[in-house]
């Protein structure tokens, strides 16, 4: 079965596209989550005060660095101020959106995958009705080439984790707990919080268990077409059952 991948760029009223038009060296990558957007903003040039003010107005800054390599910002923005989502237009024309959206030099860049060429043509005609569009490529691909990230949305990786569990695992990750060798201990991590060590460890272990469980869907997709058995797992003996 042949699928079709189409890449195109569009122009319409969008604050991110307009910022990229005013600042040609800027690149904005946009990911959609269930109730917000995550933006990665980069530039090889030192940002002006005006640009930094525009970025601050976009949403909550999660990370910002300015050094001799340029600007790097990660911010979280609300969906409520955006127009009817172009993603809905993709779905209405049976096309799968491949994130991220890239805003650069006044254009929004998108990539979609469709199950037949007619759906791609219908989508392009739909978008041409109310915005400028420039088709960059349209190629046939194999079914096995569908990106795994499209089939398992990233927000599902963090499904069912509480705020405290997310905070616990983020602290551990950013403190080097998962590096080899470890840069910190559970005791040291807990001492940096307002909770007891046993409470912090409970939050951390539950976060790890939920993340690994949720990641199982990603893992099965990634290994679905793998050949061979690098670990040479013995399939003849069933795993031992844990006692109740």
């Amino acid at each position: 079965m042949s699928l079709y991948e189409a890449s195109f760029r569009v122009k319409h009223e969008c604050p991110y596209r307009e910022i990229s038009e005013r600042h040609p060296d800027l690149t904005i990558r946009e990911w959609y989550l269930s109730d917000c957007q995550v933006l990665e903003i980069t530039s090889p040039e030192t940002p002006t005060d005006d640009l930094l003010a525009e970025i601050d107005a976009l949403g909550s800054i999660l990370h910002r660095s300015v050094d001799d390599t340029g600007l790097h910002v990660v911010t979280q923005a609300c969906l409520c101020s955006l127009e009817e989502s172009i993603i809905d237009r993709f779905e209405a024309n049976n096309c799968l959106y491949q994130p991220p959206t890239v805003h650069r030099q006044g254009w929004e860049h998108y990539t979609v995958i469709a199950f037949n060429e007619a759906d791609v043509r219908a989508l392009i005609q739909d978008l041409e009705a109310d915005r400028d569009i420039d088709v960059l490529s349209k190629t046939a691909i194999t079914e096995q080439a569908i990106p795994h990230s499209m089939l398992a949305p990233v927000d599902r990786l963090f499904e069912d984790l509480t705020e405290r569990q997310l905070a616990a695992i983020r602290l551990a990750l950013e403190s080097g707990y998962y590096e080899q060798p470890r840069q910190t201990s559970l005791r040291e991590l807990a001492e940096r919080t307002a909770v007891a060590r046993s409470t912090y460890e409970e939050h951390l272990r539950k976060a790890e268990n939920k993340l690994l469980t949720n990641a199982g869907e990603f893992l099965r997709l990634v290994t679905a077409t793998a050949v061979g058995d690098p670990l040479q797992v013995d399939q003849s003996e069933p795993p031992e059952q844990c006692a109740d």
Side-chain angles (χ1 to χ4, degrees):
M1 171 179 165
S2 292
L3 305 175
Y4 291 86
E5 181 180 76
S7 295
F8 53 89
R9 58 183 188 175
V10 301
K11 279 189 177 183
H12 73 119
E13 293 184 6
C14 172
Y16 311 141
R17 184 203 67 77
E18 292 164 3
I19 290 176
S20 73
E21 189 171 43
R22 290 192 294 271
H23 304 277
D25 293 321
L26 201 68
T27 298
I28 302 176
R29 296 176 178 85
E30 176 185 10
W31 286 267
Y32 295 89
L33 298 181
S34 58
D35 59 350
C36 68
Q37 296 163 304
V38 174
L39 308 173
E40 182 186 28
I41 305 168
T42 58
S43 173
E45 304 297 328
T46 301
T48 64
D49 291 339
D50 289 343
L51 173 57
L52 292 176
E54 288 190 72
I55 292 174
D56 287 340
L58 293 178
S60 302
I61 302 297
L62 304 178
H63 164 82
R64 175 161 56 194
S65 63
V66 180
D67 53 31
D68 53 5
T69 65
L71 170 71
H72 183 246
V73 175
V74 177
T75 185
Q76 180 176 302
C78 177
L79 289 172
C80 57
S81 62
L82 297 182
E83 65 163 17
E84 180 183 355
S85 174
I86 193 173
I87 308 302
D88 294 336
R89 308 273 286 273
F90 298 162
E91 294 177 356
N93 289 281
N94 302 316
C95 293
L96 302 174
Y97 164 63
Q98 182 176 346
T101 302
V102 178
H103 304 264
R104 181 160 175 79
Q105 297 181 344
W107 289 92
E108 299 174 31
H109 295 253
Y110 294 94
T111 298
V112 298
I113 290 178
F115 293 94
N116 62 71
E117 192 173 8
D119 288 333
V120 175
R121 290 197 300 268
L123 172 62
I124 292 171
Q125 290 175 357
D126 185 6
L127 295 175
E128 285 176 336
D130 58 4
R131 63 195 71 199
D132 294 332
I133 180 169
D134 182 12
V135 179
L136 304 175
S137 67
K138 186 173 61 175
T139 57
I141 61 174
T142 62
E143 185 177 5
Q144 289 79 8
I146 297 180
H148 306 306
S149 60
M150 294 174 56
L151 304 178
V154 67
D155 54 336
R156 290 178 61 181
L157 185 61
F158 302 98
E159 196 170 46
D160 297 328
L161 271 75
T162 67
E163 290 186 1
R164 289 195 172 190
Q165 290 165 4
L166 286 169
I169 201 163
R170 178 176 177 178
L171 175 62
L173 181 65
E174 294 179 348
S175 301
Y177 180 73
Y178 295 104
E179 296 179 12
Q180 293 293 334
R182 283 181 172 166
Q183 303 301 307
T184 188
S185 65
L186 283 173
R187 176 182 58 79
E188 292 169 333
L189 290 172
E191 287 177 350
R192 296 175 57 186
T193 73
V195 301
R197 172 177 172 174
S198 59
T199 302
Y200 174 80
E201 184 172 3
E202 181 182 5
H203 291 320
L204 183 63
R205 297 311 176 207
K206 286 184 176 180
E208 292 171 340
N209 289 337
K210 289 179 181 179
L211 276 174
L212 285 173
T213 299
N214 294 344
E217 180 177 0
F218 291 80
L219 180 62
R220 285 187 286 273
L221 286 168
V222 171
T223 59
T225 58
V227 296
D229 180 7
L231 294 181
Q232 298 182 354
V233 177
D234 185 357
Q235 302 291 347
S236 61
E237 298 182 4
E240 295 183 2
Q241 298 295 318
C242 297
D244 293 336

